[in-house]
Amino acid sequence: MFNVNIIWSNSIVIDGIRIRNPESYHGAGPNTDGINLLSVNRVHVMNVDVATGDDCLVLDAWGYRKDRDPTHDVLIENSYMSIGHSGVGIGSITAGGIRNVTIRNCVFDSVCRGVDIRSNNERGGVVEDILYQNLTMRNCTWEGISINLIKDYNDKGRQPIGDQTPFVRNIRYENIRGDAEREAIYFYGLPEAPIKNVVLENVDMRSKKPEPILLRNTKNIVINGNRY
């Protein structure tokens, strides 16, 4: 399963480690997250080289105890991620809330999604104040930049807002380059909880699809100066 798994911890430095696992598509490496950070704070990840069968690095936050257990104040930088399902994934365990995260100066090579945020209306929590900066994404086999809050694409109806409703807001992408087989930018929010206040500045993501940008249930999205 997970290679490096850090839970309910703070003031952690991960520097210079190398992780290798088989691709899950060949049947050998399912659920092998490289670095899994769950309900942590004040974490610095740098100079890592991860190729694995699931997410190269993922941030989660428990919310099932009496008190929420957020993940916050995390810096990920100067690293190389390849092969996995995402270079850096946030969620889908978001119930505790995830905030104040910076991912910068990294290369993502032949991952499914370069960077993604994911949750659904059974997970809850708030994901906010996330900065992605100076990233290169080569040969993403799915989307390049993704935020997805939909669990069941056949059920698009508005649901009551409650403890299990996830909210994603105040996300910023700066100086991103790369290419993707599917959408370059894929944002799919919930009708009752749209993805809000996302800025993409100096982003050049190429896609093989004729419509490289998909926005559903979003508000105040700015892409290279154009507001949607």
Side-chain angles (χ1 to χ4, degrees):
M1 246 181 107
F2 309 146
N3 291 265
V4 175
N5 191 30
I6 299 176
I7 306 174
W8 295 318
S9 302
N10 62 71
S11 303
I12 304 290
V13 175
I14 302 173
D15 184 4
I17 66 173
R18 182 177 185 268
I19 296 171
R20 290 291 182 273
N21 261 314
E23 299 177 47
S24 61
Y25 309 107
H26 297 183
N31 209 23
T32 51
D33 292 346
I35 301 170
N36 191 64
L37 304 175
L38 177 56
S39 294
V40 301
N41 63 83
R42 300 191 306 278
V43 175
H44 189 184
V45 180
M46 55 185 166
N47 307 317
V48 303
D49 179 353
V50 181
T52 187
D54 207 318
D55 298 310
C56 294
L57 189 152
V58 64
L59 304 171
D60 285 320
W62 283 120
Y64 305 114
R65 304 195 300 181
K66 182 178 179 180
D67 297 321
R68 301 277 179 168
D69 297 305
T71 284
H72 60 89
D73 299 306
V74 177
L75 172 61
I76 301 159
E77 63 179 343
N78 303 328
S79 294
Y80 179 81
M81 315 287 190
S82 59
I83 307 303
H85 289 189
S86 67
V88 175
I90 294 178
S92 61
I93 303 172
T94 55
I98 300 170
R99 66 181 186 272
N100 298 337
V101 176
T102 296
I103 299 102
R104 68 188 184 194
N105 304 330
C106 294
V107 174
F108 306 131
D109 191 357
S110 302
V111 294
C112 293
R113 296 183 176 96
V115 291
D116 75 328
I117 298 171
R118 55 198 184 251
S119 189
N120 61 60
N121 57 13
E122 296 178 356
R123 296 286 186 164
V126 178
V127 177
E128 62 184 346
D129 301 327
I130 313 296
L131 172 62
Y132 300 92
Q133 193 174 53
N134 304 330
L135 304 179
T136 299
M137 306 178 186
R138 296 194 290 253
N139 305 315
C140 294
T141 57
W142 294 356
E143 299 87 21
I145 297 170
S146 174
I147 304 175
N148 187 9
L149 305 183
I150 296 294
K151 181 179 181 181
D152 183 357
Y153 286 93
N154 295 318
D155 182 12
K156 300 182 177 64
R158 186 180 297 269
Q159 302 295 320
I161 291 177
D163 288 343
Q164 293 180 314
T165 305
F167 296 92
V168 175
R169 62 197 181 207
N170 304 337
I171 314 297
R172 188 171 184 89
Y173 305 83
E174 297 178 354
N175 306 324
I176 314 291
R177 297 287 181 274
D179 59 277
E181 292 282 337
R182 300 184 186 177
E183 285 84 3
I185 299 167
Y186 182 96
F187 295 162
Y188 209 129
L190 296 168
E192 67 274 17
I195 298 163
K196 292 183 178 180
N197 303 334
V198 180
V199 175
L200 299 95
E201 183 177 312
N202 194 24
V203 171
D204 184 5
M205 284 294 302
R206 307 302 174 93
S207 168
K208 293 185 177 180
K209 299 198 74 168
E211 296 184 5
I213 299 173
L214 184 145
L215 304 177
R216 297 285 187 275
N217 301 322
T218 62
K219 288 185 178 180
N220 194 30
I221 310 298
V222 179
I223 303 175
N224 293 336
N226 297 311
R227 191 177 302 274
Y228 298 87

